[in-house]
Amino acid sequence: MNPLSKKKISVIIPSHNEQNNIGFLIQALNKTLTATDYDFELIFVDDGSSDNTLNEIKFNTAVYTNVFYIELSKNFGKDNALKAGITMATGDAIVTMDADMQHPPNLILKMLEYWENGYDIVYTYRQNANPHVKIHQKVTSNLFYKGINMLSDIKLENGTADFRLMDEKVVKQLKLIDEYELFLRGIIKWAGFKQIGIPYTPSKRHTGEVSYSFAKLLMLAVRSIMAFSARPLYLMTTIGISVSLLAILYIPYVLISYAAGYAVSGWASIIATIAFFGGLQLLVLSIIGIYVAKIFMQSKGRPNYLIRSSNLLTVNNDLVRV
Ligand code: UDP
Ligand code: MG
């Protein structure tokens, strides 16, 4: 095959404290992808690592001409790191994957096959019986997918991963999306195009610790659902109406109690009612508050990430790709 006509695949790898996984992953990807008819580049996005991840990546950029790095100015979170990589990638297709070897590189070959058969997006989802997922991850994961499917208009497969291939035309559109609270898995599903999901069994994390604690996962779930759907706001209206109706039904009971002379003994029920309504109002207000905060953050128009350095081309300190 004429090298000039080779299609290029950009693999984007967000990396946060993955110092011992970088070299291993590069070797695995090189092994898998050099056996194909594609050109490929590996773009590592160092997402504010506090260990040796960046040096490890930089070392490999000197060894391999197809390895690149983007150093973010601090930890911006995986979705934002992915956006940094996606924005700079120039491949005919882009593959995003984790740095910890949980996403089997060989599956990329299957993705490429689907892509050649006309699919624009090939995403993956974790298979159910997965021995390498900790119990707290399983619980939050299930809650999350149930929540998002119930509370928004998209339907995500349980365990949908940030391991996917996207055609250049999808990437071009993604670059135009300017959302402060990025939730790529949702956006990809929302985007349409010709997409297909393939199941995979994640491997064990090669080395290092998972970056997400139970609390962080739970917050991420709430943030993602609220970033993607206004339905909780409507749900508040339903709850408000239901509780008001219950309160109306309660009035005859109060009146009858009064008429029967039991009024003084109602202290406990009054306190209970006040506490219940007080709590409910706080809940409703806090949900509205979160949406207001999101509008506030979006209205500032801040970028999703800032780049500190990169070995991708720069012109006047602005990163450009040719
Ligand atoms: N990651 C990141 N920024 C973060 C947290 C994680 O770029 O703030 C990367 C991490 O290095 C890995 C991927 O996102 O490549 C998935 O993270 P992890 O393995 O910790 O979580 P999992 O998805 O396995 O639960
Ligand atoms: Mg992982």
Side-chain angles (χ1 to χ4, degrees), residues 54-309:
L54 183 65
N55 285 337
E56 193 58 36
I57 303 169
K58 279 185 176 167
F59 169 79
N60 280 288
T61 59
V63 179
Y64 303 99
T65 50
N66 64 338
V67 175
F68 298 94
Y69 77 91
I70 299 172
E71 178 196 6
L72 300 187
S73 62
K74 61 164 196 177
N75 180 257
F76 282 92
K78 184 184 176 180
D79 281 275
N80 293 324
L82 277 171
K83 186 177 180 188
I86 288 170
T87 306
M88 302 305 295
T90 51
D92 298 288
I94 284 184
V95 174
T96 59
M97 71 189 295
D98 288 358
D100 59 2
M101 294 300 293
Q102 289 201 281
H103 295 162
N106 271 336
L107 207 65
I108 296 176
L109 302 178
K110 205 166 165 190
M111 292 178 180
L112 289 167
E113 250 174 59
Y114 279 110
W115 178 51
E116 291 293 357
N117 284 328
Y119 284 97
D120 305 314
I121 297 170
V122 188
Y123 64 90
T124 62
Y125 54 93
R126 289 193 302 264
Q127 233 144 19
N128 262 345
N130 171 21
H132 301 302
V133 175
K134 295 198 179 107
I135 184 82
H136 83 265
Q137 286 172 303
K138 269 188 192 156
V139 172
T140 35
S141 171
N142 282 340
L143 268 177
F144 172 64
Y145 288 101
K146 284 221 166 68
I148 192 130
N149 289 340
M150 205 167 72
L151 294 172
S152 73
D153 291 326
I154 51 158
K155 293 281 165 277
L156 281 182
E157 263 105 345
N158 223 342
T160 302
D162 279 312
F163 184 26
R164 69 177 78 80
L165 177 146
M166 294 175 281
D167 186 85
E168 183 191 25
K169 56 177 167 286
V170 179
V171 175
K172 210 170 139 197
Q173 302 297 328
L174 273 190
K175 287 178 184 174
L176 301 176
I177 289 180
D178 174 25
E179 287 186 23
Y180 173 75
E181 200 96 54
L182 259 193
F183 174 50
L184 278 175
R185 275 169 284 171
I187 289 172
I188 302 284
K189 195 76 193 197
W190 164 88
F193 290 93
K194 208 166 167 238
Q195 46 180 289
I196 187 166
I198 51 178
Y200 80 104
T201 309
S203 323
K204 199 172 171 323
R205 188 167 234 288
H206 179 54
T207 63
E209 282 298 313
V210 48
S211 306
Y212 295 103
S213 63
F214 180 74
K216 212 170 162 189
L217 277 175
L218 207 63
M219 271 318 293
L220 194 75
V222 172
R223 288 165 72 123
S224 303
I225 289 171
M226 293 182 109
F228 219 76
S229 159
R231 215 171 271 176
L233 283 176
Y234 300 114
L235 202 67
M236 291 306 103
T237 319
T238 319
I239 293 177
I241 292 171
S242 313
V243 174
S244 307
L245 278 176
L246 280 176
I248 290 169
L249 292 176
Y250 187 61
I251 291 171
Y253 168 77
V254 175
L255 289 178
I256 291 166
S257 304
Y258 178 72
Y262 296 140
V264 183
S265 67
W267 182 81
S269 64
I270 287 173
I271 294 295
T273 314
I274 290 173
F276 174 70
F277 282 103
L280 190 72
Q281 279 170 3
L282 277 182
L283 172 74
V284 171
L285 273 177
S286 69
I287 288 179
I288 294 168
I290 294 174
Y291 281 104
V292 174
K294 282 183 193 293
I295 297 167
F296 173 64
M297 291 310 289
Q298 181 76 31
S299 70
K300 286 174 190 268
R302 282 193 195 155
N304 292 90
Y305 56 86
L306 297 174
I307 294 175
R308 180 162 183 270
S309 73

